Amino acid sequence: MGEDRTPKSVGTVWGLLVLNTLGSAGAKTIVPLPRSLIQMVTMGALVAAFALALALNLRLRIRASAFLLLLTLLLVPSVISSVHLESGFGALFRCARLALFVGTLWLLSRWWDGGATFVRHHIRMYFAVLGSVAAGLVVSPGAALPDLYGGRLVGALWPLTPPQIGQYAAVIIGLTVLLLMGRRTDRVSAAVVVVPSLVLLALTHTRTATLGLLVGLVLAIGSLILTSAAARRFFAWAVLCAAVAAVGLGSALQAWFLRGQSKENFTSLTGRAKVWDALLAAPRTTSEQLFGVGLGDKSFGGLPIDNSWLAVYHEQGMTGVALVAAVVIVLGGVALLRPPSLSRACAIFLISYCAIASYTEAGLGDASPYLLHLAVAASLLAAPAAAPPLPAPAVPRRRVPRWARTEVT
């Protein structure tokens, strides 16, 4: 799989990319952190990631990748719309950030070989993030479960929102389960990751992450059912447990899912639909329809858009929507064409999770955890590099005795 040939520093680069995408807005922390300080740390992490990746790949060896090519093309509408400064100078700053982010992924593509290397990096880094969330919960339960968020779990040490925590937990749970099925990890190690992550996911009351986890696992395991006995056993046990939970815990699960919301609030997706309708009804010039208004904070009228497709449409126009759709379609198409394998199953899980989450979360058009998830999927779908041909063994010269060298007359 090529895992041994990947430098350990690549994991550091990936960790810096994860740090960059954590964001600077969220709940109030135990120790107040100025937003300017958080932005300095996250942007510094991206610059350090690019510099370290460049140091590891000074010869600029990269792998051909349609995924990265489409992300690079996404920079075009981003820059065209941002130079008008409708979103302020911050739009150009976000373009530079996206360029550095994509450039770092290009440098790391040298080690994309279809193996589980980046899956392991992904799990480790986000498990570390969840560790900080758990630490904040232990140190200050009141700050970690504030009334402002309806008692949902937030980051008390680093400003993280419930959807962020739910996303990180769901992704590493799904990947760890698949690694366990593929016998790439043992049960104890898997339990150490899965059990606390499930607890944190439950405390966030994040419906999108839970639905993405369940649907993603169903599709990923379904891709292995015909070739893996472990997948068939796991699927059978999962169906049995789901049936028992639906019968015995139906009312509790319904209460957890509704989060005490009214029917009107639930059907409007916690107010998201009103923002979406206003965004679509807003007048736009031809240029804004094609290229958007420039990279911003994924909000409209001061309210979060919370939909990747509408956020891309608003900031990068129909051109951006077409490119992001091409990213998802290309990755999904390649995954479907690959023969059944653990790498393919992990890629299907990540792609399907991002596709489901894109309906109520923004991020597919800018540097975000969702692009990191898709980058891991691209690394899993990359064809292994061809091994150099072995040199032909040297043919030993036969020693000729001296008496045979003389010419007989």
Side-chain angles (χ1 to χ4, degrees):
M1 289 291 185
E3 295 181 31
D4 295 335
R5 297 194 300 270
T6 305
K8 293 183 179 180
S9 299
V10 168
T12 304
V13 176
W14 201 256
L16 292 170
L17 290 178
V18 168
L19 176 59
N20 173 255
T21 58
L22 292 182
S24 58
K28 294 182 179 179
T29 55
I30 299 172
V31 178
L33 299 174
R35 188 174 181 181
S36 58
L37 175 62
I38 298 175
Q39 290 175 335
M40 187 183 303
V41 171
T42 54
M43 193 60 196
L46 179 58
V47 173
F50 180 80
L52 182 54
L54 184 61
L56 293 172
N57 192 4
L58 284 175
R59 296 185 179 181
L60 301 182
R61 295 178 179 174
I62 59 176
R63 293 288 301 270
S65 171
F67 165 72
L68 291 178
L69 177 60
L70 290 169
L71 287 187
T72 305
L73 292 176
L74 188 61
L75 284 168
V76 176
S78 302
V79 173
I80 291 176
S81 59
S82 297
V83 293
H84 297 296
L85 300 181
E86 292 186 35
S87 301
F89 285 99
L92 294 177
F93 177 82
R94 291 183 178 93
C95 285
R97 176 181 177 235
L98 180 59
L100 273 179
F101 185 86
V102 175
T104 306
L105 293 180
W106 271 115
L107 293 171
L108 293 180
S109 67
R110 171 184 177 181
W111 294 284
W112 292 3
D113 57 3
T117 302
F118 286 89
V119 172
R120 297 185 186 280
H121 290 325
H122 213 53
I123 293 174
R124 292 189 190 106
M125 299 311 167
Y126 280 118
F127 187 68
V129 174
L130 293 181
S132 71
V133 174
L137 178 62
V138 172
V139 173
S140 179
L145 300 168
D147 294 334
L148 180 63
Y149 283 87
R152 300 170 65 190
L153 181 65
V154 300
L157 298 181
W158 186 277
L160 298 173
T161 61
Q164 284 180 281
I165 300 170
Q167 174 197 162
Y168 306 154
V171 167
I172 68 173
I173 289 170
L175 292 177
T176 303
V177 168
L178 293 173
L179 288 182
L180 178 63
M181 287 178 46
R183 297 181 180 179
R184 297 296 182 86
T185 187
D186 57 86
R187 294 183 180 180
V188 175
S189 300
V192 168
V193 174
V194 171
V195 173
S197 298
L198 277 173
V199 173
L200 297 181
L201 176 59
L203 291 175
T204 63
H205 289 261
T206 307
R207 296 177 292 225
T208 300
T210 305
L211 182 63
L213 170 63
L214 296 177
V215 174
L217 277 179
V218 168
L219 294 176
I221 296 172
S223 70
L224 293 172
I225 282 182
L226 296 179
T227 58
S228 171
R232 291 191 290 270
R233 289 194 300 269
F234 184 89
F235 188 80
W237 277 106
V239 170
L240 178 62
C241 293
V244 172
V247 174
L249 303 173
S251 58
L253 291 174
Q254 183 179 8
W256 180 90
F257 192 78
L258 290 177
R259 297 198 310 237
Q261 293 177 332
S262 64
K263 184 178 180 180
E264 179 183 358
N265 199 18
F266 177 73
T267 53
S268 66
L269 296 173
T270 322
R272 290 184 177 96
K274 297 179 181 178
V275 180
W276 298 347
D277 292 340
L279 186 151
L280 292 173
R284 292 177 182 273
T285 64
T286 303
S287 176
E288 289 173 345
Q289 287 182 340
L290 289 176
F291 304 112
V293 300
L295 293 183
D297 58 357
K298 313 297 177 288
S299 66
F300 179 78
L303 296 174
I305 297 174
D306 285 341
N307 180 290
S308 284
W309 304 102
L310 291 179
V312 171
Y313 170 68
H314 178 59
E315 296 184 353
Q316 292 142 309
M318 292 304 299
T319 305
V321 171
L323 289 171
V324 172
V327 167
V328 178
I329 292 172
V330 166
L331 287 177
V334 172
L336 292 177
L337 294 175
R338 288 282 190 272
S341 67
L342 176 62
S343 294
R344 178 191 186 225
C346 290
I348 289 175
F349 169 76
L350 291 169
I351 297 166
S352 57
Y353 181 90
C354 291
I356 293 170
S358 67
Y359 186 66
T360 57
E361 296 291 335
L364 285 183
D366 204 348
S368 69
Y370 291 105
L371 287 192
L372 286 181
H373 302 334
L374 293 179
V376 174
S379 75
L380 290 164
L381 296 174
L390 296 176
V395 179
R397 293 184 61 185
R398 185 176 180 182
R399 186 174 179 276
V400 181
R402 179 176 297 180
W403 60 265
R405 301 177 194 169
T406 58
E407 184 178 355
V408 180
T409 57

